[in-house]
PDB file of all heavy atoms in Angstrom:
ATOM      1  N   GLU K 171     -97.104  17.145   7.883  1.00 94.00           N
ATOM      2  CA  GLU K 171     -97.834  16.846   9.138  1.00 94.00           C
ATOM      3  C   GLU K 171     -96.871  16.570  10.274  1.00 94.00           C
ATOM      4  O   GLU K 171     -97.097  17.020  11.422  1.00 94.00           O
ATOM      5  CB  GLU K 171     -98.646  15.516   8.962  1.00 94.00           C
ATOM      6  CG  GLU K 171    -100.015  15.697   8.446  1.00 94.00           C
ATOM      7  CD  GLU K 171    -100.691  14.352   8.165  1.00 94.00           C
ATOM      8  OE1 GLU K 171    -100.169  13.607   7.261  1.00 94.00           O
ATOM      9  OE2 GLU K 171    -101.639  14.041   8.852  1.00 94.00           O
ATOM     10  N   LEU K 174     -95.264  19.718  12.292  1.00 98.00           N
ATOM     11  CA  LEU K 174     -96.088  20.690  12.917  1.00 98.00           C
ATOM     12  C   LEU K 174     -95.409  21.382  14.113  1.00 98.00           C
ATOM     13  O   LEU K 174     -95.323  22.624  14.152  1.00 98.00           O
ATOM     14  CB  LEU K 174     -97.404  20.039  13.374  1.00 98.00           C
ATOM     15  CG  LEU K 174     -98.387  20.919  14.081  1.00 98.00           C
ATOM     16  CD1 LEU K 174     -98.838  22.123  13.214  1.00 98.00           C
ATOM     17  CD2 LEU K 174     -99.653  20.166  14.510  1.00 98.00           C
ATOM     18  N   PHE K 175     -94.875  20.581  15.018  1.00 98.00           N
ATOM     19  CA  PHE K 175     -94.209  21.129  16.204  1.00 98.00           C
ATOM     20  C   PHE K 175     -92.835  21.691  15.896  1.00 98.00           C
ATOM     21  O   PHE K 175     -92.450  22.702  16.461  1.00 98.00           O
ATOM     22  CB  PHE K 175     -94.249  20.102  17.342  1.00 98.00           C
ATOM     23  CG  PHE K 175     -95.623  19.779  17.770  1.00 98.00           C
ATOM     24  CD1 PHE K 175     -96.264  18.588  17.409  1.00 98.00           C
ATOM     25  CD2 PHE K 175     -96.378  20.754  18.522  1.00 98.00           C
ATOM     26  CE1 PHE K 175     -97.537  18.302  17.765  1.00 98.00           C
ATOM     27  CE2 PHE K 175     -97.672  20.496  18.868  1.00 98.00           C
ATOM     28  CZ  PHE K 175     -98.265  19.310  18.548  1.00 98.00           C
ATOM     29  N   THR K 178     -93.462  25.059  14.296  1.00 98.00           N
ATOM     30  CA  THR K 178     -94.019  26.013  15.285  1.00 98.00           C
ATOM     31  C   THR K 178     -92.846  26.505  16.243  1.00 98.00           C
ATOM     32  O   THR K 178     -92.684  27.678  16.508  1.00 98.00           O
ATOM     33  CB  THR K 178     -95.143  25.349  16.097  1.00 98.00           C
ATOM     34  OG1 THR K 178     -96.070  24.858  15.177  1.00 98.00           O
ATOM     35  CG2 THR K 178     -95.818  26.303  17.015  1.00 98.00           C
ATOM     36  N   PHE K 190    -100.938  28.782   8.789  1.00 97.00           N
ATOM     37  CA  PHE K 190    -101.144  27.574   7.979  1.00 97.00           C
ATOM     38  C   PHE K 190    -102.235  27.884   6.975  1.00 97.00           C
ATOM     39  O   PHE K 190    -103.246  28.508   7.331  1.00 97.00           O
ATOM     40  CB  PHE K 190    -101.535  26.435   8.908  1.00 97.00           C
ATOM     41  CG  PHE K 190    -100.418  25.933   9.763  1.00 97.00           C
ATOM     42  CD1 PHE K 190    -100.402  26.346  11.062  1.00 97.00           C
ATOM     43  CD2 PHE K 190     -99.385  25.165   9.256  1.00 97.00           C
ATOM     44  CE1 PHE K 190     -99.373  25.892  11.931  1.00 97.00           C
ATOM     45  CE2 PHE K 190     -98.321  24.809  10.093  1.00 97.00           C
ATOM     46  CZ  PHE K 190     -98.298  25.155  11.420  1.00 97.00           C
ATOM     47  N   GLU K 192    -104.812  26.103   4.131  1.00 90.00           N
ATOM     48  CA  GLU K 192    -105.406  24.884   3.573  1.00 90.00           C
ATOM     49  C   GLU K 192    -105.142  24.921   2.060  1.00 90.00           C
ATOM     50  O   GLU K 192    -105.318  25.941   1.405  1.00 90.00           O
ATOM     51  CB  GLU K 192    -106.910  24.889   3.826  1.00 90.00           C
ATOM     52  CG  GLU K 192    -107.297  23.807   4.739  1.00 90.00           C
ATOM     53  CD  GLU K 192    -108.739  23.917   5.192  1.00 90.00           C
ATOM     54  OE1 GLU K 192    -109.590  24.501   4.532  1.00 90.00           O
ATOM     55  OE2 GLU K 192    -109.083  23.459   6.290  1.00 90.00           O
ATOM     56  N   TRP K 209    -105.248  18.596   4.122  1.00 89.00           N
ATOM     57  CA  TRP K 209    -105.154  18.365   5.567  1.00 89.00           C
ATOM     58  C   TRP K 209    -105.975  19.484   6.230  1.00 89.00           C
ATOM     59  O   TRP K 209    -105.634  20.662   6.132  1.00 89.00           O
ATOM     60  CB  TRP K 209    -103.709  18.503   5.986  1.00 89.00           C
ATOM     61  CG  TRP K 209    -103.385  18.373   7.494  1.00 89.00           C
ATOM     62  CD1 TRP K 209    -104.246  17.902   8.421  1.00 89.00           C
ATOM     63  CD2 TRP K 209    -102.171  18.727   8.139  1.00 89.00           C
ATOM     64  NE1 TRP K 209    -103.584  17.914   9.640  1.00 89.00           N
ATOM     65  CE2 TRP K 209    -102.353  18.429   9.482  1.00 89.00           C
ATOM     66  CE3 TRP K 209    -100.962  19.254   7.676  1.00 89.00           C
ATOM     67  CZ2 TRP K 209    -101.348  18.602  10.404  1.00 89.00           C
ATOM     68  CZ3 TRP K 209     -99.923  19.485   8.611  1.00 89.00           C
ATOM     69  CH2 TRP K 209    -100.164  19.155  10.022  1.00 89.00           C
ATOM     70  N   SER K 210    -107.055  19.086   6.843  1.00 90.00           N
ATOM     71  CA  SER K 210    -107.996  20.032   7.405  1.00 90.00           C
ATOM     72  C   SER K 210    -107.301  20.839   8.578  1.00 90.00           C
ATOM     73  O   SER K 210    -106.700  20.220   9.426  1.00 90.00           O
ATOM     74  CB  SER K 210    -109.255  19.347   7.863  1.00 90.00           C
ATOM     75  OG  SER K 210    -109.699  19.934   9.081  1.00 90.00           O
ATOM     76  N   LEU K 211    -107.481  22.103   8.562  1.00 93.00           N
ATOM     77  CA  LEU K 211    -106.854  22.890   9.642  1.00 93.00           C
ATOM     78  C   LEU K 211    -107.594  22.668  10.952  1.00 93.00           C
ATOM     79  O   LEU K 211    -107.021  23.021  11.956  1.00 93.00           O
ATOM     80  CB  LEU K 211    -106.832  24.370   9.256  1.00 93.00           C
ATOM     81  CG  LEU K 211    -105.949  24.755   8.066  1.00 93.00           C
ATOM     82  CD1 LEU K 211    -105.783  26.273   7.921  1.00 93.00           C
ATOM     83  CD2 LEU K 211    -104.584  24.096   8.105  1.00 93.00           C
ATOM     84  N   LYS K 212    -108.706  22.170  10.878  1.00 92.00           N
ATOM     85  CA  LYS K 212    -109.437  21.787  12.159  1.00 92.00           C
ATOM     86  C   LYS K 212    -108.595  20.672  12.798  1.00 92.00           C
ATOM     87  O   LYS K 212    -108.348  20.706  14.057  1.00 92.00           O
ATOM     88  CB  LYS K 212    -110.854  21.287  11.813  1.00 92.00           C
ATOM     89  CG  LYS K 212    -111.897  21.688  12.837  1.00 92.00           C
ATOM     90  CD  LYS K 212    -113.299  21.372  12.291  1.00 92.00           C
ATOM     91  CE  LYS K 212    -114.047  20.665  13.399  1.00 92.00           C
ATOM     92  NZ  LYS K 212    -114.860  19.580  12.935  1.00 92.00           N
ATOM     93  N   ASP K 213    -108.228  19.740  12.046  1.00 94.00           N
ATOM     94  CA  ASP K 213    -107.449  18.609  12.580  1.00 94.00           C
ATOM     95  C   ASP K 213    -106.003  19.105  13.029  1.00 94.00           C
ATOM     96  O   ASP K 213    -105.525  18.730  14.091  1.00 94.00           O
ATOM     97  CB  ASP K 213    -107.240  17.504  11.522  1.00 94.00           C
ATOM     98  CG  ASP K 213    -108.534  16.920  11.121  1.00 94.00           C
ATOM     99  OD1 ASP K 213    -109.549  17.128  11.807  1.00 94.00           O
ATOM    100  OD2 ASP K 213    -108.530  16.207  10.044  1.00 94.00           O
ATOM    101  N   LEU K 214    -105.483  20.034  12.150  1.00 96.00           N
ATOM    102  CA  LEU K 214    -104.113  20.596  12.517  1.00 96.00           C
ATOM    103  C   LEU K 214    -104.169  21.284  13.870  1.00 96.00           C
ATOM    104  O   LEU K 214    -103.356  21.126  14.776  1.00 96.00           O
ATOM    105  CB  LEU K 214    -103.718  21.460  11.428  1.00 96.00           C
ATOM    106  CG  LEU K 214    -102.317  22.113  11.464  1.00 96.00           C
ATOM    107  CD1 LEU K 214    -101.791  22.441  10.064  1.00 96.00           C
ATOM    108  CD2 LEU K 214    -102.205  23.352  12.369  1.00 96.00           C
ATOM    109  N   ARG K 215    -105.267  22.106  14.045  1.00 96.00           N
ATOM    110  CA  ARG K 215    -105.411  22.870  15.267  1.00 96.00           C
ATOM    111  C   ARG K 215    -105.615  21.947  16.466  1.00 96.00           C
ATOM    112  O   ARG K 215    -105.019  22.124  17.546  1.00 96.00           O
ATOM    113  CB  ARG K 215    -106.630  23.771  15.149  1.00 96.00           C
ATOM    114  CG  ARG K 215    -106.786  24.643  16.307  1.00 96.00           C
ATOM    115  CD  ARG K 215    -108.122  25.376  16.318  1.00 96.00           C
ATOM    116  NE  ARG K 215    -108.411  25.845  17.648  1.00 96.00           N
ATOM    117  CZ  ARG K 215    -108.824  27.004  18.008  1.00 96.00           C
ATOM    118  NH1 ARG K 215    -109.082  27.908  17.110  1.00 96.00           N
ATOM    119  NH2 ARG K 215    -108.971  27.337  19.305  1.00 96.00           N
ATOM    120  N   ALA K 216    -106.366  20.861  16.293  1.00 96.00           N
ATOM    121  CA  ALA K 216    -106.561  19.840  17.378  1.00 96.00           C
ATOM    122  C   ALA K 216    -105.218  19.259  17.786  1.00 96.00           C
ATOM    123  O   ALA K 216    -104.924  19.069  18.969  1.00 96.00           O
ATOM    124  CB  ALA K 216    -107.568  18.824  16.928  1.00 96.00           C
ATOM    125  N   GLU K 217    -104.430  18.950  16.799  1.00 97.00           N
ATOM    126  CA  GLU K 217    -103.052  18.364  17.080  1.00 97.00           C
ATOM    127  C   GLU K 217    -102.183  19.379  17.872  1.00 97.00           C
ATOM    128  O   GLU K 217    -101.529  18.976  18.779  1.00 97.00           O
ATOM    129  CB  GLU K 217    -102.495  18.049  15.650  1.00 97.00           C
ATOM    130  CG  GLU K 217    -101.060  17.490  15.713  1.00 97.00           C
ATOM    131  CD  GLU K 217    -100.982  16.035  16.127  1.00 97.00           C
ATOM    132  OE1 GLU K 217    -102.019  15.338  16.050  1.00 97.00           O
ATOM    133  OE2 GLU K 217     -99.920  15.605  16.588  1.00 97.00           O
ATOM    134  N   LEU K 218    -102.270  20.631  17.422  1.00 97.00           N
ATOM    135  CA  LEU K 218    -101.466  21.668  18.063  1.00 97.00           C
ATOM    136  C   LEU K 218    -101.882  21.766  19.572  1.00 97.00           C
ATOM    137  O   LEU K 218    -101.060  21.971  20.440  1.00 97.00           O
ATOM    138  CB  LEU K 218    -101.714  22.954  17.330  1.00 97.00           C
ATOM    139  CG  LEU K 218    -100.649  24.042  17.339  1.00 97.00           C
ATOM    140  CD1 LEU K 218     -99.293  23.489  16.815  1.00 97.00           C
ATOM    141  CD2 LEU K 218    -101.112  25.191  16.424  1.00 97.00           C
ATOM    142  N   ALA K 219    -103.170  21.615  19.812  1.00 97.00           N
ATOM    143  CA  ALA K 219    -103.728  21.759  21.164  1.00 97.00           C
ATOM    144  C   ALA K 219    -103.304  20.609  22.046  1.00 97.00           C
ATOM    145  O   ALA K 219    -103.481  20.687  23.331  1.00 97.00           O
ATOM    146  CB  ALA K 219    -105.237  21.889  21.060  1.00 97.00           C
ATOM    147  N   THR K 220    -102.720  19.536  21.487  1.00 98.00           N
ATOM    148  CA  THR K 220    -102.317  18.425  22.378  1.00 98.00           C
ATOM    149  C   THR K 220    -101.084  18.835  23.124  1.00 98.00           C
ATOM    150  O   THR K 220    -100.739  18.228  24.140  1.00 98.00           O
ATOM    151  CB  THR K 220    -101.992  17.108  21.539  1.00 98.00           C
ATOM    152  OG1 THR K 220    -100.956  17.401  20.657  1.00 98.00           O
ATOM    153  CG2 THR K 220    -103.234  16.661  20.796  1.00 98.00           C
ATOM    154  N   GLN K 221    -100.297  19.822  22.606  1.00 97.00           N
ATOM    155  CA  GLN K 221     -99.089  20.230  23.327  1.00 97.00           C
ATOM    156  C   GLN K 221     -99.055  21.596  23.794  1.00 97.00           C
ATOM    157  O   GLN K 221     -98.283  22.003  24.630  1.00 97.00           O
ATOM    158  CB  GLN K 221     -97.875  19.930  22.415  1.00 97.00           C
ATOM    159  CG  GLN K 221     -97.533  18.562  22.226  1.00 97.00           C
ATOM    160  CD  GLN K 221     -96.199  18.266  21.691  1.00 97.00           C
ATOM    161  OE1 GLN K 221     -95.261  19.142  21.794  1.00 97.00           O
ATOM    162  NE2 GLN K 221     -96.010  17.202  21.020  1.00 97.00           N
ATOM    163  N   PHE K 222     -99.959  22.460  23.224  1.00 97.00           N
ATOM    164  CA  PHE K 222     -99.970  23.882  23.628  1.00 97.00           C
ATOM    165  C   PHE K 222    -101.329  24.332  24.060  1.00 97.00           C
ATOM    166  O   PHE K 222    -102.377  23.736  23.683  1.00 97.00           O
ATOM    167  CB  PHE K 222     -99.592  24.728  22.386  1.00 97.00           C
ATOM    168  CG  PHE K 222     -98.138  24.563  21.951  1.00 97.00           C
ATOM    169  CD1 PHE K 222     -97.866  24.209  20.655  1.00 97.00           C
ATOM    170  CD2 PHE K 222     -97.082  24.881  22.793  1.00 97.00           C
ATOM    171  CE1 PHE K 222     -96.594  24.054  20.183  1.00 97.00           C
ATOM    172  CE2 PHE K 222     -95.785  24.773  22.345  1.00 97.00           C
ATOM    173  CZ  PHE K 222     -95.502  24.367  21.053  1.00 97.00           C
ATOM    174  N   THR K 223    -101.380  25.432  24.829  1.00 98.00           N
ATOM    175  CA  THR K 223    -102.651  25.986  25.244  1.00 98.00           C
ATOM    176  C   THR K 223    -102.972  27.106  24.184  1.00 98.00           C
ATOM    177  O   THR K 223    -102.161  28.060  24.026  1.00 98.00           O
ATOM    178  CB  THR K 223    -102.579  26.635  26.640  1.00 98.00           C
ATOM    179  OG1 THR K 223    -101.817  25.729  27.420  1.00 98.00           O
ATOM    180  CG2 THR K 223    -103.984  26.895  27.191  1.00 98.00           C
ATOM    181  N   LEU K 224    -104.116  27.029  23.503  1.00 97.00           N
ATOM    182  CA  LEU K 224    -104.443  27.948  22.449  1.00 97.00           C
ATOM    183  C   LEU K 224    -105.557  28.901  22.903  1.00 97.00           C
ATOM    184  O   LEU K 224    -106.577  28.390  23.397  1.00 97.00           O
ATOM    185  CB  LEU K 224    -104.884  27.280  21.187  1.00 97.00           C
ATOM    186  CG  LEU K 224    -103.956  26.117  20.646  1.00 97.00           C
ATOM    187  CD1 LEU K 224    -104.583  25.504  19.380  1.00 97.00           C
ATOM    188  CD2 LEU K 224    -102.560  26.635  20.354  1.00 97.00           C
ATOM    189  N   ASP K 226    -108.122  31.765  21.510  1.00 95.00           N
ATOM    190  CA  ASP K 226    -108.678  32.470  20.275  1.00 95.00           C
ATOM    191  C   ASP K 226    -108.448  33.935  20.361  1.00 95.00           C
ATOM    192  O   ASP K 226    -108.657  34.550  21.429  1.00 95.00           O
ATOM    193  CB  ASP K 226    -110.155  32.205  20.163  1.00 95.00           C
ATOM    194  CG  ASP K 226    -110.451  30.862  19.567  1.00 95.00           C
ATOM    195  OD1 ASP K 226    -109.925  30.563  18.514  1.00 95.00           O
ATOM    196  OD2 ASP K 226    -111.186  30.013  20.245  1.00 95.00           O
ATOM    197  N   VAL K 238    -105.013  32.344  16.681  1.00 96.00           N
ATOM    198  CA  VAL K 238    -104.975  31.939  18.109  1.00 96.00           C
ATOM    199  C   VAL K 238    -103.587  32.375  18.592  1.00 96.00           C
ATOM    200  O   VAL K 238    -102.663  32.620  17.864  1.00 96.00           O
ATOM    201  CB  VAL K 238    -105.099  30.449  18.292  1.00 96.00           C
ATOM    202  CG1 VAL K 238    -106.474  29.955  17.779  1.00 96.00           C
ATOM    203  CG2 VAL K 238    -103.974  29.664  17.661  1.00 96.00           C
ATOM    204  N   ILE K 240    -100.535  31.120  21.134  1.00 97.00           N
ATOM    205  CA  ILE K 240     -99.981  29.988  21.938  1.00 97.00           C
ATOM    206  C   ILE K 240     -99.506  30.535  23.219  1.00 97.00           C
ATOM    207  O   ILE K 240     -98.600  31.378  23.205  1.00 97.00           O
ATOM    208  CB  ILE K 240     -98.890  29.227  21.173  1.00 97.00           C
ATOM    209  CG1 ILE K 240     -99.383  28.665  19.848  1.00 97.00           C
ATOM    210  CG2 ILE K 240     -98.187  28.217  22.064  1.00 97.00           C
ATOM    211  CD1 ILE K 240     -98.427  27.694  19.172  1.00 97.00           C
ATOM    212  N   ILE K 247    -100.651  32.183  15.874  1.00 97.00           N
ATOM    213  CA  ILE K 247    -100.801  31.184  14.773  1.00 97.00           C
ATOM    214  C   ILE K 247    -102.070  31.460  14.044  1.00 97.00           C
ATOM    215  O   ILE K 247    -103.137  31.692  14.600  1.00 97.00           O
ATOM    216  CB  ILE K 247    -100.914  29.757  15.395  1.00 97.00           C
ATOM    217  CG1 ILE K 247     -99.709  29.414  16.311  1.00 97.00           C
ATOM    218  CG2 ILE K 247    -101.050  28.688  14.276  1.00 97.00           C
ATOM    219  CD1 ILE K 247     -98.379  29.197  15.598  1.00 97.00           C
ATOM    220  N   GLY K 248    -101.938  31.541  12.681  1.00 95.00           N
ATOM    221  CA  GLY K 248    -103.078  31.811  11.856  1.00 95.00           C
ATOM    222  C   GLY K 248    -103.546  30.581  11.091  1.00 95.00           C
ATOM    223  O   GLY K 248    -102.742  29.665  10.841  1.00 95.00           O
ATOM    224  N   PHE K 249    -104.764  30.572  10.776  1.00 94.00           N
ATOM    225  CA  PHE K 249    -105.331  29.431  10.012  1.00 94.00           C
ATOM    226  C   PHE K 249    -106.087  30.070   8.837  1.00 94.00           C
ATOM    227  O   PHE K 249    -107.085  30.760   9.073  1.00 94.00           O
ATOM    228  CB  PHE K 249    -106.306  28.615  10.883  1.00 94.00           C
ATOM    229  CG  PHE K 249    -105.669  28.057  12.083  1.00 94.00           C
ATOM    230  CD1 PHE K 249    -105.887  28.700  13.309  1.00 94.00           C
ATOM    231  CD2 PHE K 249    -104.911  26.907  12.075  1.00 94.00           C
ATOM    232  CE1 PHE K 249    -105.273  28.213  14.445  1.00 94.00           C
ATOM    233  CE2 PHE K 249    -104.281  26.416  13.253  1.00 94.00           C
ATOM    234  CZ  PHE K 249    -104.481  27.107  14.418  1.00 94.00           C
ATOM    235  N   THR K 251    -108.386  29.291   5.919  1.00 84.00           N
ATOM    236  CA  THR K 251    -109.263  28.258   5.428  1.00 84.00           C
ATOM    237  C   THR K 251    -110.077  28.844   4.279  1.00 84.00           C
ATOM    238  O   THR K 251    -111.279  29.140   4.443  1.00 84.00           O
ATOM    239  CB  THR K 251    -110.185  27.649   6.470  1.00 84.00           C
ATOM    240  OG1 THR K 251    -110.760  28.731   7.146  1.00 84.00           O
ATOM    241  CG2 THR K 251    -109.420  26.847   7.471  1.00 84.00           C
TER     242      THR K 251
END
Side-chain angles (χ1 to χ4, degrees):
E171 269 175 298
L174 178 61
F175 294 105
T178 307
F190 293 100
E192 247 170 26
W209 177 16
S210 143
L211 294 192
K212 214 170 135 218
D213 297 347
L214 186 156
R215 185 190 159 135
E217 176 75 21
L218 211 52
T220 61
Q221 288 197 23
F222 292 121
T223 320
L224 311 180
D226 280 304
V238 298
I240 297 191
I247 303 287
F249 303 97
T251 48

